[in-house]
Amino acid sequence: MAQNTVQTVGNLTISFIHPLISGGAAITLKGFKMEGDLVTTTQQMMNSKIVPLIGGDTATLTNNVRAGKLTLNAVRTSGVAAQGDIVAIADLLQSLPDSSGGVMVFSWSQNSATQTKTFLAVTHESHEPLKIQGNDIATYACTFNYADYN
């Protein structure tokens, strides 16, 4: 029998905890469109690399680095970081010296169970300061680095 997956899309919750925003209180992020890619992640480096050697031999290198990039695609909402506007958060973090990073927690429902993934040591990498789109709401790609996840 085929295995089917049922996942809700309207109940995704993303929390961000950072000592430089709202005194370190958890903030629920807002401004995500229902359609399109909301979140994408990429590894910072490969976990395995094969080095070809003369004569046909190889040397394989492995590591357990789980660091990477996390991109949130969102629209401007209130313009206030403390109210969960991810673009405003990116604006704020870009202007501050960050020596601690934050924690970003994703929570969603799949097959009647709550799934979570937590990203650690989250720091602002880049975002578009201004984006204007005709006859639609502009989506900003806000990219963060993370050191690990669980």
Side-chain angles (χ1 to χ4, degrees), residues 81-127:
Q83 293 178 3
D85 184 329
I86 189 61
V87 183
I89 289 171
D91 285 339
L92 177 62
L93 289 176
Q94 184 180 45
S95 69
L96 298 173
D98 185 357
S99 62
S100 61
V103 174
M104 201 171 286
V105 180
F106 294 78
S107 177
W108 68 97
S109 294
Q110 185 172 346
N111 293 336
S112 299
T114 300
Q115 307 290 324
T116 60
K117 189 160 293 274
T118 303
F119 292 85
L120 307 168
V122 175
T123 56
H124 173 264
E125 181 193 89
S126 64
H127 74 290

Side-chain angles (χ1 to χ4, degrees), residues 16-127:
F16 191 43
I17 302 162
H18 196 291
L20 298 175
I21 303 169
S22 290
I27 301 168
T28 300
L29 302 182
K30 298 177 181 171
F32 300 99
K33 292 182 180 180
M34 288 291 288
E35 294 184 8
D37 290 336
L38 308 178
V39 179
T40 56
T41 59
T42 56
Q43 287 182 230
Q44 185 70 26
M45 70 182 316
M46 299 181 295
N47 293 112
S48 174
K49 178 180 179 180
I50 297 175
V51 179
L53 304 174
I54 293 177
D57 294 338
T58 62
T60 302
L61 306 169
T62 65
N63 67 69
N64 63 347
V65 174
R66 294 176 7 144
K69 294 181 187 302
L70 169 69
T71 301
L72 302 174
N73 298 300
V75 302
R76 285 191 182 273
T77 57
S78 65
V80 179
Q83 293 178 3
D85 184 329
I86 189 61
V87 183
I89 289 171
D91 285 339
L92 177 62
L93 289 176
Q94 184 180 45
S95 69
L96 298 173
D98 185 357
S99 62
S100 61
V103 174
M104 201 171 286
V105 180
F106 294 78
S107 177
W108 68 97
S109 294
Q110 185 172 346
N111 293 336
S112 299
T114 300
Q115 307 290 324
T116 60
K117 189 160 293 274
T118 303
F119 292 85
L120 307 168
V122 175
T123 56
H124 173 264
E125 181 193 89
S126 64
H127 74 290

